[in-house]
Amino acid sequence: MLGRSFQVIGIPWPDLNDGLFYNDVVKPSDSGMSLIEFYSRKYKSSAPLEGWLQRIQNEQITIDGQVITDPETILRIGSEVVYRRLPWKEPDTPYLLEVLYEDDEMIALNKPSGLQVLPGGVFQQRTVLTQLQWWSSKQSSSVSEELHPVPVHRLGRGTSGILLCAKTRLARTQFAAYFADGTSCVGRNRNNTMEEGTKRKISKIYRALVAGIIHDDEVSIDQPIGRMRYPGVAQGLYVATSSGKPAYSKVNVLERDEQGKHTLVQVEIQSGRPHQIRIHLSSIGHPLIGDPLYVAGGQPNCLHSELVDQSFAEDGGYQRPTKPVPGDCGYYLHAHQLVLHHPKTSEVVKILAPLPPILRTHGESEDAGNRVG
């Protein structure tokens, strides 16, 4: 795969995104509330009270199509309430995507580090999904209307490598079943091994660079993963916890640093918990090099964080968290290999994403240099 050229897709991002519209229909339980009470209670994680007052006075909220600037307006059952978030400039992010594999059912992309997969937080436009939609809209009109590629799993914003996307309903359904089967196997058998995983319909292998020296050539990790409250993460932060859901990773050491600073590893996961590899490797005392969030023990770097900053930004929302959050980059993790049964033909398909130089073994680096020369 080294030295091979791939088709590249991607359109430069516009300076501002399109903004967002948040629609609500007033329920019986909310009828009689004032407009400011409704938003400051229901969406308190979006903005403080003063921020919602600013949004109302800035003519960003309508009731049944009419702009409302009085925060004490009483809501009536069945009314449609719409908040318009004004367009904003999203943080700089890559936009080019290599196509590693494509056929009528699926497409596999090489996602760069720094690009979010699905909309969330400040990234509502600058995502893989947006680039897929733009690319799909430019395809020939003869292409089936069913071909609307969507990612079928996630990679962390800082993680690079293979991202599998489905083009058809059949592929979406099959891939969802593949991933669900792998996760359910872990839930049924805490002593599960990757040898049993050979029966699975999909297998993912990653490369990572971790702190310290892992002395065993092979390590199995079955640390459960759950959520805890954490500033700046509305739904809670995933961490290593005995009360979490089952998760299983198999780690193979590829190379150890002679100075004892880091270890290059290959990781195969059967379950797909959020941030599983980062949490699992940190849980055994070897967090990923450069990871700003997870430290030894599978816990966040700032367990005793102060309360969320109650001041609000220009758009009325909270200021960006000062503590590390899951989307922060800096670590070295790459989805290198994907083996799966084709959703239509059941043939085995193997996909490789070229390795970043820092995640190659010395032998692979020498081989790459020889090919270039």
Side-chain angles (χ1 to χ4, degrees):
M1 300 294 289
L2 295 175
R4 177 180 171 184
S5 61
F6 298 96
Q7 176 191 357
V8 177
I9 64 174
I11 298 173
W13 306 113
D15 189 47
L16 299 178
N17 62 24
D18 298 327
L20 287 173
F21 289 89
Y22 298 87
N23 298 56
D24 285 283
V25 175
V26 179
K27 299 177 181 178
S29 58
D30 297 326
S31 182
M33 276 190 184
S34 67
L35 185 62
I36 185 61
E37 184 181 15
F38 174 80
Y39 276 110
S40 62
R41 284 189 180 184
K42 188 169 184 178
Y43 296 107
K44 59 183 178 181
S45 64
S46 170
L49 175 66
E50 294 81 2
W52 280 114
L53 284 171
Q54 173 182 298
R55 291 169 173 178
I56 294 171
Q57 294 163 358
N58 200 34
E59 301 185 347
Q60 292 176 245
I61 293 176
T62 63
I63 299 178
D64 294 329
Q66 181 180 354
V67 174
I68 302 296
T69 57
D70 179 3
E72 298 303 325
T73 300
I74 300 301
L75 301 181
R76 303 301 178 195
I77 186 172
S79 290
E80 183 181 26
V81 185
V82 180
Y83 157 57
R84 181 195 176 207
R85 184 177 179 182
L86 300 175
W88 71 95
K89 180 178 175 59
E90 299 181 13
D92 291 339
T93 185
Y95 66 89
L96 294 176
L97 295 156
E98 291 179 324
V99 178
L100 301 172
Y101 177 93
E102 184 187 4
D103 62 26
D104 290 342
E105 299 292 328
M106 63 185 188
I107 181 171
L109 304 171
N110 189 8
K111 185 189 86 69
S113 174
L115 179 59
Q116 191 157 299
V117 174
L118 299 177
V122 297
F123 295 100
Q124 293 295 326
Q125 182 181 70
R126 298 186 179 192
T127 66
V128 173
L129 180 61
T130 299
Q131 288 292 351
L132 280 172
Q133 291 170 339
W134 288 348
W135 172 76
S136 179
S137 68
K138 290 182 176 296
Q139 300 304 295
S140 169
S141 58
S142 63
V143 175
S144 168
E145 292 183 0
E146 190 180 12
L147 304 186
H148 298 293
V150 292
V152 294
H153 63 104
R154 296 197 188 200
L155 294 178
R157 190 168 76 88
T159 304
S160 58
I162 303 170
L163 179 69
L164 183 63
C165 307
K167 286 184 171 182
T168 65
R169 293 188 184 91
L170 170 65
R172 290 186 206 180
T173 301
Q174 290 287 73
F175 291 149
Y178 292 175
F179 285 115
D181 182 60
T183 300
S184 64
C185 284
V186 175
R188 292 194 299 266
N189 183 7
R190 286 294 300 274
N191 296 317
N192 196 43
T193 65
M194 284 298 176
E195 283 69 31
E196 292 172 343
T198 56
K199 299 178 182 178
R200 291 180 289 123
K201 296 293 183 72
I202 194 163
S203 174
K204 296 186 291 182
I205 295 177
Y206 293 74
R207 285 283 181 97
L209 191 65
V210 304
I213 297 298
I214 299 178
H215 296 286
D216 294 332
D217 291 337
E218 183 177 305
V219 180
S220 295
I221 308 172
D222 62 357
Q223 169 66 53
I225 294 174
R227 287 188 286 193
M228 62 172 284
R229 293 185 62 184
Y230 186 80
V233 184
Q235 301 303 316
L237 178 69
Y238 286 93
V239 297
T241 172
S242 59
S243 62
K245 295 182 178 180
Y248 184 85
S249 302
K250 177 181 175 182
V251 181
N252 288 95
V253 171
L254 299 177
E255 223 168 54
R256 298 178 179 90
D257 175 36
E258 294 180 356
Q259 297 179 346
K261 294 182 178 180
H262 55 74
T263 304
L264 180 63
V265 298
Q266 173 177 290
V267 186
E268 183 177 1
I269 61 173
Q270 179 159 341
S271 52
R273 307 300 178 197
H275 317 300
Q276 177 173 320
I277 293 176
R278 297 167 67 188
I279 295 170
H280 268 182
L281 285 166
S282 64
S283 75
I284 63 170
H286 298 282
L288 271 62
I289 294 287
D291 193 332
L293 178 60
Y294 292 106
V295 294
Q299 300 299 311
N301 196 16
C302 309
L303 264 178
H304 303 290
S305 300
E306 66 268 12
L307 295 175
V308 175
D309 183 357
Q310 292 295 318
S311 64
F312 56 95
E314 185 178 350
D315 71 343
Y318 289 110
Q319 299 283 0
R320 189 189 186 283
T322 57
K323 300 299 182 183
V325 292
D328 291 342
C329 305
Y331 55 89
Y332 299 102
L333 179 61
H334 182 72
H336 175 48
Q337 178 177 306
L338 181 70
V339 180
L340 73 154
H341 288 236
H342 193 277
K344 190 171 185 178
T345 67
S346 294
E347 295 179 0
V348 176
V349 178
K350 181 178 181 180
I351 303 169
L352 294 175
L355 290 163
I358 198 169
L359 294 179
R360 297 173 186 166
T361 64
H362 283 99
E364 289 167 339
S365 295
E366 291 175 0
D367 182 53
N370 292 335
R371 292 184 184 223
V372 172

